[in-house]
Amino acid sequence: VRRSYKTNVSAQNTLEIRNNVYQTDEWTNITPKILSYIGLNKHLQKNHPLSIIRQRIVNYFYRSYTNSRGNPLFSVHDKICPVVTVQQNFDNLLVPADHPSRAKSDCYYINKHYLLRAHTTAHQIELIKSGLDNFLAVGDVYRRDEIDSTHYPVFHQLDAVRLISQDKLFGNNLDLHIFESSYKVNPSSFSPINSSSKCIDQSKQPCHTLEAVKLTEHELKTILLGLAKDLFGNNIEHRWIDTYFPFTQPSWELEIYYKGNWMEVLGCGIMRHEILESCGVTNSIGYAFGLGLERLAMVLFDIPDIRLFWSNDTGFLHQFNESNLYKLNKYKPVSVYPQCKNDLSFWLPENQDIDSFSANDFYDIVRNVGGDIVEQISLVDKFKHPKTGKSSLCFRIVYRHMERTLTQAEVNEIHSKIAQSCVEQLEVTIR
Ligand code: FA5
Ligand code: MG
């Protein structure tokens, strides 16, 4: 049965998300508003700042790790559905049963078995099991949180995993090993450790040698600091903070000094070996990290409010252009008054070709007549009539006043004056 979730989620006992139907139960707390974000994929939208930052990070990893033929080692997985099982989001990653991050008050549950992923780390195990040893996972993540300038219930993360085998870590040196000689593969070792227990050794896991951990830590921190410098320049101030994640040990956070404050940009660490063992990987040591795309983009573009990433306002979106990823414009605040969009279509004079039409002439006319309330002009369509040979153009004009809300009537009046001027000055015929 196809039921719409747009009505009342709790009054129905099923929910449909991306053509899958889920039974609701006492865990269900996902709202229609949250459901409406699924599939928007801002991290893949052309010219969106989140997409730009994603491409910058992906390019950095493509450049930093190549095989002997010069091909990138990392694969990128950025279209994985955000619906995951409790097992994927928590159990697989050794998150203890009583860990606060599992709470109904913190996550969007579909039912007691399914939720919207709270981190992209939820895909770590399935990707390793599929045979990958260097990969990035990017996507939208969902957490119950307040809405203010730095928090939003939907944001985006990029996770990475790199597995390093004995020969890649130590080369020909046969005296050095990843694992302590006392370590034996033990399938029953897969169990969460209690986050409150005092016995977590921040230096290393029992199975690893200190040399293996130090070398991997060095590679991880070097690559992440390199990424931060690639994004923010060589002069950034940074610090590493010891921390705890159920799925890494030891674990760190990277903080960047930005506008007078230390800002956490990512979490990372040496992967818990039990997780690798559960995927059948017994001969490698791994690093993993997860970072928030919004935080990085806010710094990079000077974007003051996290809500702007969800704006469909072209005044926001037109400021970013991915054609040159390394020449980035800072964000310029746009007026908060609403836009009015009107299209203008016309036939060019007989014998005039599209190529000989000067868009700048047209822009000048629009600006002369419309003044400062014209925010943007874009060409939305052009074609040549197959029979008459006449050419047609359609422009979209976006109007917005900086100090007040425009009425559609006054916009229409200006719009027709613009059309009239085009007829007089460009000899076009309005369609
Ligand atoms: C995690 O989500 C871990 N999965 C990261 C990880 C992966 C650690 C792999 C080790 C190995 P955390 O909850 O701290 O950790 O979030 C990671 C990053 O996401 C943060 O550093 C921050 O950049 C971003 N982030 C977290 N919460 C928010 C939020 N409410 N708004 C915007 N960005 C956020
Ligand atoms: Mg954190």
Side-chain angles (χ1 to χ4, degrees):
V1 210
R2 215 186 146 85
R3 281 186 180 141
S4 166
Y5 50 74
K6 291 210 164 61
T7 49
N8 184 346
V9 171
S10 58
Q12 301 180 351
N13 46 23
T14 60
L15 254 175
E16 188 183 319
I17 304 174
R18 293 202 150 187
N19 299 324
N20 284 315
V21 177
Y22 300 89
Q23 206 69 41
T24 57
D25 60 22
E26 69 284 359
W27 278 81
T28 309
N29 63 1
I30 188 166
T31 63
K33 172 77 179 153
I34 289 298
L35 283 171
S36 73
Y37 288 92
I38 299 176
L40 293 186
N41 289 333
K42 294 290 178 189
H43 63 295
L44 301 173
Q45 182 178 320
K46 191 165 190 256
N47 294 327
H48 194 283
L50 293 175
S51 175
I52 292 175
I53 204 115
R54 170 189 56 79
Q55 290 182 65
R56 284 279 297 259
I57 300 169
V58 166
N59 287 354
Y60 172 81
F61 273 85
Y62 282 172
R63 268 200 322 274
S64 301
Y65 286 107
T66 52
N67 65 15
S68 55
R69 294 200 187 99
N71 292 322
L73 282 187
F74 277 73
S75 58
V76 179
H77 307 267
D78 52 19
K79 294 176 197 71
I80 310 177
C81 177
V83 176
V84 297
T85 60
V86 170
Q87 177 147 15
Q88 285 174 294
N89 201 82
F90 301 114
D91 301 327
N92 282 351
L93 295 167
L94 304 172
V95 178
D98 60 353
H99 197 273
S101 63
R102 292 181 183 248
K104 235 176 120 171
S105 60
D106 284 41
C107 300
Y108 288 105
Y109 281 92
I110 297 164
N111 57 38
K112 65 171 175 288
H113 300 297
Y114 292 93
L115 71 158
L116 297 181
R117 64 185 165 216
H119 53 180
T120 41
T121 321
H123 302 293
Q124 200 174 82
I125 288 224
E126 72 209 57
L127 292 169
I128 297 172
K129 277 188 177 160
S130 76
L132 299 170
D133 48 14
N134 297 284
F135 60 83
L136 305 176
V138 199
D140 36 332
V141 301
Y142 298 77
R143 294 186 190 177
R144 294 187 73 190
D145 228 327
E146 71 239 68
I147 295 188
D148 68 15
S149 68
T150 59
H151 292 81
Y152 206 78
V154 191
F155 61 100
H156 295 76
Q157 285 190 335
L158 180 146
D159 257 64
V161 163
R162 168 160 168 77
L163 306 183
I164 310 167
S165 60
Q166 167 79 29
D167 55 321
K168 288 206 201 80
L169 194 63
F170 295 123
N172 295 330
N173 191 334
L174 301 177
D175 295 333
L176 296 172
H177 302 281
I178 291 180
F179 300 103
E180 297 282 7
S181 50
S182 57
Y183 161 71
K184 296 273 176 306
V185 177
N186 176 10
S188 67
S189 69
F190 191 77
S191 72
I193 45 175
N194 189 339
S195 55
S196 61
S197 83
K198 297 265 185 305
C199 59
I200 298 166
D201 183 351
Q202 177 63 21
S203 70
K204 68 178 197 67
Q205 299 166 46
C207 64
H208 291 139
T209 63
L210 196 57
E211 305 85 82
V213 172
K214 285 294 169 197
L215 261 180
T216 309
E217 173 184 347
H218 179 75
E219 177 176 329
L220 170 62
K221 288 183 171 175
T222 306
I223 205 78
L224 286 175
L225 194 56
L227 172 64
K229 289 183 172 172
D230 183 74
L231 293 173
F232 304 125
N234 283 324
N235 298 326
I236 52 159
E237 263 190 271
H238 79 282
R239 64 185 188 189
W240 294 100
I241 310 285
D242 286 352
T243 190
Y244 162 82
F245 293 106
F247 28 91
T248 52
Q249 183 191 355
S251 308
W252 304 276
E253 278 166 357
L254 174 60
E255 294 190 347
I256 306 273
Y257 198 67
Y258 176 66
K259 293 198 171 162
N261 290 307
W262 287 102
M263 179 184 64
E264 176 205 322
V265 293
L266 61 86
C268 66
I270 307 295
M271 295 175 69
R272 287 279 301 280
H273 191 61
E274 297 93 318
I275 295 179
L276 293 183
E277 264 185 10
S278 76
C279 301
V281 176
T282 53
N283 56 354
S284 296
I285 186 168
Y287 76 58
F289 69 81
L291 54 78
L293 293 183
E294 276 81 355
R295 292 232 176 131
L296 299 178
M298 286 171 90
V299 177
L300 204 56
F301 297 104
D302 258 342
I303 294 173
D305 191 308
I306 200 165
R307 283 170 296 191
L308 285 164
F309 293 106
W310 300 97
S311 162
N312 287 320
D313 187 315
T314 56
F316 174 72
L317 291 172
H318 277 249
Q319 296 193 24
F320 309 100
N321 187 333
E322 66 180 47
S323 63
N324 186 348
L325 289 177
Y326 296 88
K327 183 192 151 291
L328 300 171
N329 295 327
K330 292 290 186 190
Y331 168 72
K332 290 188 237 38
V334 287
S335 153
V336 292
Y337 297 95
Q339 298 175 320
C340 281
K341 295 175 200 172
N342 278 23
D343 287 357
L344 184 61
S345 304
F346 47 73
W347 295 109
L348 295 185
E350 213 122 33
N351 312 324
Q352 186 178 359
D353 216 54
I354 289 180
D355 293 334
S356 69
F357 176 80
S358 160
N360 284 342
D361 289 349
F362 173 67
Y363 299 156
D364 281 341
I365 292 173
V366 179
R367 289 210 187 87
N368 287 343
V369 182
D372 279 341
I373 69 160
V374 175
E375 191 169 71
Q376 292 133 33
I377 311 167
S378 52
L379 179 63
V380 289
D381 191 38
K382 59 178 180 186
F383 82 98
K384 191 171 179 146
H385 194 284
K387 292 222 178 79
T388 65
K390 286 218 276 186
S391 298
S392 159
L393 293 169
C394 177
F395 287 92
R396 178 156 303 158
I397 306 177
V398 179
Y399 300 88
R400 173 171 14 214
H401 201 288
M402 299 301 281
E403 284 92 33
R404 63 184 173 83
T405 298
L406 290 168
T407 66
Q408 191 62 54
E410 69 181 312
V411 168
N412 290 348
E413 202 189 323
I414 294 161
H415 198 71
S416 10
K417 278 190 188 145
I418 290 172
Q420 190 53 41
S421 299
C422 290
V423 171
E424 287 161 9
Q425 297 180 42
L426 303 173
E427 294 170 359
V428 299
T429 315
I430 303 297
R431 296 186 60 191

